[in-house]
Amino acid sequence: MDGKAKQPFLGKGVVFVGIHTADGNIGQINQLKELRNWTAPSGLDVGTSITDSETCRSYGVGGFPTIVVVDEQGRIAYRTDIEPEDREQFMKEMGELAKSLEIPWPPKSDAPREELEAMMNKLMVANISREIDRVLD
């Protein structure tokens, strides 16, 4: 997450860390971080490839990118790579969240790619922030 997204969590014991698959290229990762203004510390996972990366195995990560929220006890509280059990309810929640952010929902398929990406990034950050808040409560 970028510095702006982390602001609501300052002083609350929340830590953001980027862990990339063992066969990643740290130079490319650093270029992406600079381009996107990401300030979270990042590193490469232990292992030799995507298939044997230690963190991926430990947390059962099967898709990329995946965001994992871990609670104070080290338990996984939320993952972005797992389909919600009740997809209809999830879409309803996303619609409500989009409305609260003044994002048109569902997104118009003919909107410019950059606009769609910005809307979805804003929605994703708000959703993950909400999940972090749930863990903090």
Side-chain angles (χ1 to χ4, degrees), residues 19-24 43-61 64:
I19 302 172
H20 304 275
T21 57
D23 57 351
L44 297 177
D45 203 350
V46 174
T48 60
S49 69
I50 289 174
T51 59
D52 75 349
S53 290
E54 186 66 31
T55 306
C56 291
R57 277 200 324 259
S58 295
Y59 289 96
V61 173
F64 304 97

Side-chain angles (χ1 to χ4, degrees), residues 102-123:
E102 299 180 356
I103 295 173
W105 193 261
K108 296 178 183 175
S109 60
D110 62 344
R113 182 179 173 271
E114 295 81 17
E115 185 179 316
L116 284 172
E117 185 177 297
M119 290 181 339
M120 295 311 291
N121 283 339
K122 186 175 179 179
L123 186 60

Side-chain angles (χ1 to χ4, degrees), residues 11-15 59 68-78 131-137:
K12 294 185 178 182
V14 176
V15 178
Y59 289 96
V68 179
V69 177
V70 181
D71 68 14
E72 289 180 324
Q73 290 75 38
R75 295 180 305 230
I76 297 172
Y78 176 75
E131 294 299 330
I132 293 170
D133 284 335
R134 287 181 186 170
V135 169
L136 293 174
D137 285 342

Side-chain angles (χ1 to χ4, degrees), residues 1-3 6 15-18 20 29-30 33 37-43:
M1 292 182 123
D2 64 22
K6 294 189 316 189
V15 178
F16 294 90
V17 179
H20 304 275
I29 292 163
N30 288 334
K33 285 177 60 177
N37 194 30
W38 292 338
T39 57
S42 296

